[in-house]
Amino acid sequence: MGQNDKKKRAAQAALEYLRDGTTLGVGTGTTVDHFIAALGARSGTLDGVVSSSERSTAKLRELGIEVIDLASVGEVDLYVDGADEATKHLHLIKGGGGALTREKILAGAARRFVCIVDDTKLVAQLGHFPVPIEVIPMARSFVSRQILKTGGRPVWREGFITDNGNHIIDIHDWRIGNPIELETRVNQIPGVVTVGIFAQRHADVLLVAGETEVRTIR
Ligand code: A5P
């Protein structure tokens, strides 16, 4: 079974967490695209859908699903999103697609965060996948210099502008022994909007699709 089929399976498994009247947050990425496609028929039973990116909003609207503002509901019952790396402690790296800021807001605003991945993304320690950081454009070089002091190698994602009008720096070569500590440290650098380490607010449930089954890690 290919990676895309596994992504689809993980996405389908997340449907079981939907209830009638759920206010749903929808993440971003190719795994979530499968979730959005599978959502179609179920969307009428939901109370509202909040999106984490312009990309997901467009896909939801294509299916005739209305998208509401987080500001109008304050919280969501359930947030479903993918990840670039995940550990059995439910810590994640996210933001490969550049939507990390709105994703982190939705994760924070969610009563339950269900993360859907294929088994190639399950790792013992985070950091093989470069960690995205969204920065205010004028702070890009300053933040990069601060990151060098932490042992990371910052690479500007040139030409990419986030939905919020900011830039992304991808941090290579970080060995992330303590994700909560590193997330906290990076959050304190002026100019950082969001770091793609999701450890303080980690997933509540991780659905990992393998060759034969979807494993649930809580
Ligand atoms: C988007 O910004 C990311 O956080 C995605 O959730 C993550 O990159 C997973 O993407 P795929 O499902 O496309 O692998």
Side-chain angles (χ1 to χ4, degrees):
M1 180 181 283
Q3 188 181 16
N4 190 48
D5 291 320
K6 291 181 187 173
K7 288 181 176 190
K8 193 170 179 181
R9 274 184 147 194
Q12 282 166 344
L15 291 175
E16 298 196 4
Y17 291 80
L18 293 173
R19 301 282 173 272
D20 286 359
T22 292
T23 306
L24 174 69
V26 173
T28 301
T30 53
T31 313
V32 167
D33 289 347
H34 289 299
F35 179 72
I36 293 173
L39 196 58
R42 299 285 296 275
S43 63
T45 66
L46 303 175
D47 242 21
V49 177
V50 180
S51 168
S52 63
S53 63
E54 300 302 328
R55 171 195 163 118
S56 289
T57 298
K59 289 187 181 287
L60 287 159
R61 289 195 175 136
E62 265 169 36
L63 293 174
I65 301 173
E66 191 195 343
V67 177
I68 59 172
D69 273 348
L70 180 65
S72 68
V73 285
E75 296 182 313
V76 295
D77 299 311
L78 174 68
Y79 180 51
V80 177
D81 198 359
D84 301 303
E85 274 186 0
T87 69
K88 64 177 183 189
H89 304 294
L90 306 170
H91 296 149
L92 313 170
I93 291 178
K94 291 186 47 52
L100 62 162
T101 296
R102 297 187 192 187
E103 292 176 342
K104 201 175 255 196
I105 293 167
L106 271 174
R111 291 197 186 89
R112 192 179 221 187
F113 174 13
V114 173
C115 183
I116 48 178
V117 293
D118 65 84
D119 58 1
T120 63
K121 293 173 169 177
L122 194 60
V123 296
Q125 188 180 59
L126 297 177
H128 185 68
F129 189 94
V131 179
I133 302 180
E134 180 166 353
V135 295
I136 299 290
M138 71 169 282
R140 196 182 70 233
S141 302
F142 170 71
V143 172
S144 295
R145 285 201 304 278
Q146 303 308 307
I147 293 298
L148 284 170
K149 295 178 192 166
T150 68
R153 182 169 56 87
V155 176
W156 176 28
R157 203 183 290 183
E158 208 168 339
F160 185 89
I161 302 290
T162 70
D163 285 350
N164 313 304
N166 295 317
H167 291 183
I168 298 274
I169 309 168
D170 292 301
I171 314 305
H172 297 249
D173 303 340
W174 256 345
R175 275 178 190 72
I176 308 179
N178 187 333
I180 293 181
E181 191 180 82
L182 187 59
E183 183 181 7
T184 306
R185 183 170 172 190
V186 176
N187 276 338
Q188 285 166 350
I189 302 172
V192 167
V193 178
T194 305
V195 56
I197 299 171
F198 284 52
Q200 290 168 8
R201 200 304 178 225
H202 53 73
D204 299 310
V205 179
L206 185 62
L207 300 176
V208 186
E211 285 296 330
T212 55
E213 55 167 17
V214 178
R215 216 173 121 199
T216 303
I217 302 176
R218 287 172 206 279

